[in-house]
Amino acid sequence: MNIVEQTEQKIKDEIVEAVVKAELATEDQIPEVVLETPKEKAHGDYATNMAMQLARIAKKAPRQIADDIVANFDQSKASIKNIEIAGPGFINFFLDSTYLTELIPTILKDQQEYGKGNAGNGEKIQIEFVSANPTGTLHLGHARGAVFGDSLANIMEKAGYDVQREYYINDAGNQMNNLAKSVEARYMQALGQTDFEMPEDGYHGKDIVELGEKMAKEYGDKWANESEEARVEFCRQYGLDFLLDRIKKDLEDYRVPFDEWFSESSLYEEGKVQQALDYLKEQGYLYEKDGAVWFRTTDFNDDKDRVLIKKDGNYTYLTPDIAYHQNKFERGFDTLINVWGADHHGYIPRMKAAIEALGYNAKQLEISIIQMVNLIQGGEIVKMSKRTGKAVTMVELAEEVGLDAVRYFFVMRSNDTHLDFDMDLATSESNENPVYYVQYAHARICSMLRQAKEKGLEPSEDADLTLIQSEKEIDLLKRLGEFPQVIGDSAVKRTPHRVTQYIYDLASDLHSFYNAEKVINDDQLELSKARLALIEAVRITLSNAMKLIGVHAPEKM
RNA sequence: GUCCCAGUAGCUCAGCAGGAUAGAGCAACAGCCUUCUAAGCUGUGGGUCGGGAGUUCGAAUCUCUCCUGGGACACCA
C-alpha cells in the first residue's frame, strides 16, 4: 500500500471506531465504509456518507449521527486538518497534504513496479482472445479485440492476478475443409486451370488467391498430379501454416503476445471431445431426436436445446468448444475470460450452460463483448479498404494511422459501446489528438530532465520535498497516489479504458502544472531539485500506465 | 417475435455495486509564447441524463414499460 491507500484505510478504521464509541451501531451492523473523493474541492479531500447509511439502524437524523461520529473521531490518527458536516449528512475530511510527498520516494524506488497491487490476490485467470479462424487475414474487428485483451491482461497482471493469454486455433471442423478446397482451387487456377471451381462456401479473398499462386510457384504442378485426397490434405496444411504464421506476425506487430496457442485438433487427438460427450451423457444431459444428439441446455437457462452431433454424424462447433472449456478448467484456472465480438453474444447462454453441466459455476466463465468499430474518414464511414475492396485489415489500419494511435483509440472507450474510429483525428498532429497529448506530456518531462542534467541536476529523493506545496503540485501528487487503485478497479471491473482515462488525466495535470510553475530555476535550486523529483515520479507513472495499454512513451517529439 | 449493447452538452464519449451544483475532449467565444517543447495553458457559454411510472431520505445509476439506433437469434463456424 502506498501512503494514500494507508491514509484512506486509517480514516475508514477511525470512522468505524467512532461509530462504535458513539454507540450508534455495533461493529457487525456497520455497512462497508464508503470513502469518496468529492468532486468539489470545497467538500474536502475525502467524504463519507456513513451518517446517512446509519440513519435507519441508529434511528436518528443523519446530521445528528454525523455530529456524534465527529465528536468521537480521533483526528490525530490520520493527517486530518479539519472535519466538517455538510449537506444531508456528509462528513467531509480536510487533510494536511504534506503527507502526499512521501509518494515521490516510493515511486522513484519502485520504478516500473509502481502501480502494482493485490486486488487479484493471485487468482488464476485465463484470457482467451482474438481466436480468429486461420482461414484469412486479421481485420479491423479483430484488432479491437486484440488490443482490449492484451491491455486487460497487462492490467490484471499488474493488479495481482495470475494471467495466461491464450489464442484458440480453430484448425479442425468444416471451415478447414473449405479452406483446403479453396486453396486447392486457387492453386489449380494459378497453374492455368482457370475453370477449376471454388467450393460453394469457399474463401474468396485476395489472400487465398495469393496463397494459391505462392504454392504454384513453390511446387509447380507436383500436386496437380497427385491424388485429389493427397492434394487437398496438403493444401489444408499449407494454408493453415501460412495463414497462422501471418496471424502470429500481425499480432506480434501489434505488440500482442500470447502465452499459449491452443490447437482445436489437439482436443480430438487426445480424445478430449469424446470424453466431454461421455461425461455429459453420464450426467443425463444428452438425448436423441430426429437422428441427432441434443444437449439439454434448457436445464441451465438457455432458450432452447442445442445439437451436439448432427444427423450426418459430424459435431457442431459447440461440441469441441465444450471439451475445450473443460480442458481449460482442468488446467487449473479459477476464472476464464473470453473476449468475443458482438456477433457472438447469442452464444453466451449455451456456453454458460455447458460450464454448469460440466460441474462448474457459470460465473467462472466471463464473456467480454467487443462492440463494432466504424472507421470514419472525412466525416464518412469507411466501409471497405481502398486497396483491396474488402474489409480493412489490421495491418492496413496500423500503417494508416500508426500503432500508438490504434492502440490508444481502441482502449479509449468502453468495450461495450460502438466505436467511431476517427482516422483524421488519429493522424492529426494537433491538440485535438489525445494520443499526442499524452505522449507530449511524457516527452516534455524528458526534455526538462535532459536540460536539468546539463546543469548537473538529477532527480533524487534526497531533495527537500516539503517545498512541494503549490496547488498544481498537490493535484499531481493526488493523481499519482490514485494509480494503484485505478489499476485495481480497472482489473476487477475488466475495464481497460479506465487506465486510458487515467493517463489522460495525469497528462492534463502535468501540462497544467508545467504552465503554472517553473521546474528548472537557477534562483531556487532546492525547489528545482524537489520538482525534478516530482516530475520524474510523474514520468515513471505515465510510462508505466502507457505500457499497460501498449502505447509508447517517447522521450522526444 | 425473443435476446444482447447503446441512447448523457452541437459532435465523440466518461460517470451506472444510489449520494452534494451531472464531467472531459472537440467545436464556439475571450485571453496567455523576451520564461524548461504553444503537439501546451487559463477562462466563458452550452444539459427535460430517450419518454413515462415505480423503489427511497436521495436515481444518469436499481425495477417495470414504451420509443429509437446497432447486433444476434442454424443439425454454419
Side-chain angles (χ1 to χ4, degrees):
Chain A
M1 283 204 280
N2 69 23
I3 186 69
V4 172
E5 290 165 296
Q6 286 170 29
T7 303
E8 289 174 7
Q9 195 54 51
K10 271 188 216 159
I11 296 173
K12 286 182 182 179
D13 292 346
E14 260 322 294
I15 291 170
V16 172
E17 193 92 350
V19 170
V20 173
K21 236 191 275 177
E23 294 180 355
L24 291 162
T26 60
E27 201 155 347
D28 49 311
Q29 283 180 310
I30 301 174
E32 195 190 339
V33 181
V34 178
L35 196 64
E36 52 173 25
T37 47
K39 289 169 231 160
E40 291 281 327
K41 278 186 181 171
H43 294 145
D45 297 294
Y46 293 107
T48 183
N49 60 355
M50 181 54 73
M52 277 108 84
Q53 290 192 300
L54 285 177
R56 201 164 303 162
I57 298 166
K59 298 197 177 70
K60 276 184 171 180
R63 293 207 51 129
Q64 179 61 47
I65 295 171
D67 279 336
D68 292 348
I69 293 175
V70 173
N72 285 281
F73 194 93
D74 184 356
Q75 297 199 17
S76 62
K77 290 277 170 69
S79 308
I80 291 170
K81 208 163 53 181
N82 189 26
I83 304 181
E84 284 177 6
I85 297 168
F90 287 100
I91 303 173
N92 296 333
F93 300 92
F94 294 81
L95 272 61
D96 176 359
S97 303
T98 50
Y99 79 98
L100 287 168
T101 57
E102 288 181 39
L103 282 168
I104 296 173
T106 302
I107 297 170
L108 296 191
K109 189 165 113 307
D110 287 356
Q111 292 284 325
Q112 300 93 316
E113 300 293 304
Y114 183 63
K116 259 196 169 155
N118 197 30
N121 204 16
E123 193 185 337
K124 279 195 77 176
I125 299 273
Q126 186 212 52
I127 305 181
E128 184 219 316
F129 58 114
V130 189
S131 298
N133 287 345
T135 53
T137 315
L138 295 177
H139 290 281
L140 178 63
H142 302 122
R144 189 179 186 191
V147 170
F148 172 87
D150 180 59
S151 302
L152 180 61
N154 292 340
I155 291 164
M156 290 184 75
E157 241 162 26
K158 196 88 168 175
Y161 290 90
D162 180 5
V163 180
Q164 195 235 28
R165 304 133 196 265
E166 181 152 312
Y167 188 112
Y168 181 50
I169 308 164
N170 290 97
D171 56 0
N174 216 12
Q175 80 281 358
M176 288 310 294
N177 296 332
N178 276 330
L179 175 69
K181 292 271 183 60
S182 302
V183 173
E184 180 198 23
R186 294 307 191 196
Y187 166 68
M188 298 302 267
Q189 288 168 4
L191 290 176
Q193 293 196 35
T194 47
D195 57 344
F196 200 99
E197 269 184 47
M198 283 286 283
E200 209 169 309
D201 304 320
Y203 295 101
H204 293 268
K206 204 174 145 196
D207 37 6
I208 308 298
V209 176
E210 285 166 7
L211 194 45
E213 285 166 358
K214 183 171 175 292
M215 187 173 154
K217 202 176 279 177
E218 277 174 41
Y219 291 93
D221 60 3
K222 176 179 189 304
W223 290 101
N225 300 323
E226 298 275 350
S227 71
E228 187 189 337
E229 194 189 347
R231 180 170 62 241
V232 171
E233 187 46 43
F234 181 82
C235 286
R236 174 199 307 269
Q237 200 58 46
Y238 187 83
L240 174 65
D241 288 346
F242 179 85
L243 293 169
L244 194 56
D245 276 352
R246 188 151 69 188
I247 286 170
K248 286 182 177 177
K249 183 179 181 304
D250 287 356
L251 287 167
E252 210 168 284
D253 289 347
Y254 258 66
R255 304 171 193 147
V256 179
F258 284 88
D259 300 309
E260 179 75 29
W261 295 78
F262 192 95
S263 151
E264 178 186 359
S265 54
S266 74
L267 291 169
Y268 290 95
E269 284 157 18
E270 291 166 26
K272 297 285 187 191
V273 180
Q274 192 56 50
Q275 280 172 31
L277 279 169
D278 291 344
Y279 179 84
L280 292 176
K281 193 173 180 183
E282 275 168 35
Q283 301 296 312
Y285 298 131
L286 303 187
Y287 64 93
E288 284 191 40
K289 195 181 89 183
D290 305 331
V293 174
W294 294 71
F295 173 21
R296 198 178 295 106
T297 52
T298 47
D299 282 359
F300 307 96
N301 293 323
D302 197 5
D303 355 325
K304 52 182 174 183
D305 292 341
R306 308 290 169 179
V307 169
L308 292 187
I309 305 175
K310 295 185 268 183
K311 217 183 309 185
D312 65 8
N314 288 318
Y315 296 135
T316 63
Y317 67 109
L318 179 60
T319 312
D321 253 16
I322 294 172
Y324 177 42
H325 283 79
Q326 186 174 37
N327 171 273
K328 287 185 184 187
F329 281 119
E330 283 168 0
R331 281 187 270 158
F333 298 109
D334 300 312
T335 299
L336 308 177
I337 299 178
N338 288 2
V339 178
W340 289 351
D343 53 342
H344 284 74
H345 84 256
Y347 193 49
I348 296 172
R350 76 193 75 164
M351 202 61 239
K352 288 205 174 242
I355 298 298
E356 285 196 59
L358 291 171
Y360 300 96
N361 189 324
K363 280 189 190 143
Q364 289 175 273
L365 174 70
E366 295 177 20
I367 315 287
S368 286
I369 289 294
I370 306 296
Q371 290 291 340
M372 233 179 71
V373 178
N374 281 324
L375 283 186
I376 310 284
Q377 197 160 35
E380 308 231 319
I381 294 180
V382 180
K383 285 262 166 59
M384 295 294 168
S385 156
K386 280 176 214 147
R387 231 178 292 168
T388 61
K390 290 279 179 181
V392 178
T393 67
M394 228 169 106
V395 173
E396 282 177 306
L397 179 65
E399 282 171 356
E400 195 87 12
V401 305
L403 189 56
D404 283 329
V406 171
R407 295 222 35 152
Y408 190 95
F409 274 62
F410 276 147
V411 284
M412 177 166 68
R413 303 296 180 215
S414 161
N415 59 291
D416 53 24
T417 58
H418 298 196
L419 178 70
D420 283 333
F421 192 116
D422 186 334
M423 295 177 77
D424 301 321
L425 178 62
T427 48
S428 77
E429 292 193 4
S430 76
N431 58 354
E432 300 165 35
N433 188 340
V435 188
Y436 284 97
Y437 184 87
V438 302
Q439 290 187 320
Y440 183 40
H442 187 269
R444 237 181 183 173
I445 295 171
C446 291
S447 169
M448 285 187 275
L449 292 172
R450 277 194 299 272
Q451 291 181 46
K453 197 170 182 182
E454 279 173 22
K455 294 179 187 246
L457 293 175
E458 302 253 9
S460 157
E461 56 182 289
D462 298 331
D464 179 5
L465 298 175
T466 59
L467 297 171
I468 303 284
Q469 44 190 232
S470 74
E471 188 189 356
K472 300 291 186 193
E473 289 166 321
I474 298 301
D475 287 347
L476 266 176
L477 286 172
K478 283 182 180 167
R479 190 75 71 190
L480 293 176
E482 284 172 19
F483 188 47
Q485 291 172 60
V486 168
I487 290 174
D489 198 47
S490 172
V492 169
K493 293 182 175 163
R494 327 294 194 223
T495 50
H497 71 279
R498 294 187 71 111
V499 169
T500 313
Q501 232 128 34
Y502 175 82
I503 292 168
Y504 193 91
D505 290 339
L506 179 55
S508 175
D509 288 340
L510 186 276
H511 287 311
S512 183
F513 161 75
Y514 177 91
N515 277 272
E517 315 285 355
K518 200 155 160 53
V519 174
I520 303 167
N521 190 335
D522 293 336
D523 302 331
Q524 293 176 289
L525 209 56
E526 288 310 308
L527 181 61
S528 296
K529 283 183 191 167
R531 285 181 172 164
L532 279 173
L534 171 64
I535 63 168
E536 171 65 1
V538 174
R539 190 196 63 75
I540 290 167
T541 307
L542 255 185
S543 159
N544 290 358
M546 290 166 81
K547 197 170 177 200
L548 292 175
I549 61 166
V551 173
H552 282 324
E555 297 190 0
K556 274 184 190 170
M557 282 174 79

